[in-house]
Amino acid sequence: MSADQYKQPMLPEESLKGKVAIITGGATGLGEAMAMEYARLGANIVIASRKQEKLDEAKKEIETHGTKVKTIQMDVREPDQVENMVSETVAAFGKIDILVNNAAGNFLVKAIDMSTNAWNIVINIVLNGTWYCSQSVAKQMIAQDTPGTILNVGATYAWTGGPLTAHSAAAKAGVDALTKTLAVEWAHHNIRVNMITPGPTEETGAVSQLWASPEQEEQILDNIPAHRLSTRQEVANLASYLVSDYASYVTGANHVIDGGGWLNKGRYNEG
């Protein structure tokens, strides 16, 4: 199979026509890839991130698909800024149909050496930020009295364990539990809540930061039965399906896209 086949869109154009989607951490990596694909499918896009220059760069790329794009500089750790993100989105587009909780933070550190600040930074971004955004957007969706969908982003080490990622593993495990809980609580509001859990993905910060050397990358590939990294398009395809009407009966699910890596029970060794 040609490598280009892993970079092909899945859903037909206009599958998200008329929808309004917020993607946190949407200026880079998987967030930008999802925003690009949602725009290709016809959605108007709000990308939120802490760095305005990254937002501006991403906006130019996303706008090539012809939909409207709004940037919001904000920090998901701050509830007031989350509320402002929701208000600005509604002011610009009149509603919110889709939220992708993609903002994340992670770095490798031994658990015994981890500072309180290091722990809190990751927990506050990944778990608290997901909760703040989900609750605020859900309130808006309920007020609109229209169907909505929330998509969270996980990590397989949340249930297998991941040496040097105690803070992130704990946070992602919390997001997994939150996904299932909110799916049940909010189903009667016609709000679906799902999760995608990608493995290592090409052209993302996680790969470049966590597995910086060729030797480390090869070790990761050896633990993936498919023996390759996923492409950003493959992850964006799954993310697009789950927020689309094609997945209207799917909620509370965690969809792993990692080439079978977590099933292989591979372990990253400290070195």
Side-chain angles (χ1 to χ4, degrees):
M1 183 176 286
S2 163
D4 288 342
Q5 291 183 264
Y6 304 130
K7 299 181 180 181
Q8 296 302 310
M10 179 175 72
L11 298 185
E13 292 184 9
E14 300 191 353
S15 293
L16 298 180
K17 186 177 181 180
K19 303 289 188 182
V20 176
I22 297 175
I23 300 98
T24 67
T28 58
L30 289 180
E32 182 186 21
M34 288 185 273
M36 288 283 287
E37 183 62 9
Y38 290 3
R40 186 191 72 83
L41 297 173
N44 291 320
I45 305 296
V46 174
I47 49 173
S49 184
R50 286 179 288 172
K51 296 182 179 180
Q52 188 62 51
E53 68 177 81
K54 294 292 185 183
L55 287 167
D56 292 341
E57 291 172 8
K59 180 179 179 181
K60 292 177 183 178
E61 292 293 322
I62 299 166
E63 283 179 332
T64 61
H65 290 295
T67 58
K68 296 178 181 178
V69 182
K70 180 176 179 58
T71 67
I72 299 177
Q73 185 178 16
M74 54 87 69
D75 189 332
V76 297
R77 293 174 291 183
E78 301 295 335
D80 290 346
Q81 294 184 33
V82 171
E83 293 292 334
N84 181 68
M85 176 187 73
V86 171
S87 298
E88 284 196 33
T89 300
V90 174
F93 297 115
K95 61 173 184 171
I96 302 171
D97 301 295
I98 298 163
L99 167 67
V100 179
N101 285 307
N102 176 68
N106 195 14
F107 46 87
L108 299 179
V109 59
K110 293 179 181 179
I112 200 68
D113 296 330
M114 190 181 304
S115 68
T116 299
N117 186 57
W119 172 269
N120 285 334
I121 285 173
V122 173
I123 295 294
N124 284 337
I125 295 172
V126 176
L127 181 55
N128 293 347
T130 294
W131 164 242
Y132 298 149
C133 293
S134 296
Q135 185 188 49
S136 184
V137 168
K139 287 179 178 179
Q140 174 59 35
M141 290 173 172
I142 292 168
Q144 294 168 188
D145 195 24
T146 58
T149 181
I150 296 172
L151 185 65
N152 299 325
V153 179
T156 57
Y157 52 71
W159 59 85
T160 65
L164 310 182
T165 60
H167 44 2
S168 179
K172 292 293 190 181
V175 172
D176 183 57
L178 184 64
T179 298
K180 295 168 184 174
T181 302
L182 298 183
V184 174
E185 284 202 25
W186 293 348
H188 71 284
H189 293 298
N190 210 2
I191 297 173
R192 297 187 297 108
V193 188
N194 288 296
M195 192 166 184
I196 59 170
T197 296
T201 305
E202 294 177 355
E203 300 175 357
T204 60
V207 167
S208 61
Q209 292 172 21
L210 301 184
W211 305 298
S213 73
E215 293 78 16
Q216 289 173 320
E217 182 173 346
E218 186 60 31
Q219 186 174 12
I220 294 299
L221 291 176
D222 284 344
N223 286 329
I224 300 173
H227 202 70
R228 68 175 179 87
L229 304 183
S230 66
T231 67
R232 300 198 325 166
Q233 185 65 51
E234 286 176 307
V235 177
N237 284 344
L238 177 59
S240 298
Y241 164 71
L242 288 171
V243 302
S244 75
D245 292 340
Y246 293 101
S248 58
Y249 203 54
V250 180
T251 195
N254 187 342
H255 296 260
V256 180
I257 176 169
D258 76 339
W262 83 277
L263 296 171
N264 203 36
K265 303 291 189 294
R267 292 291 181 267
Y268 175 80
N269 295 320
E270 184 182 341

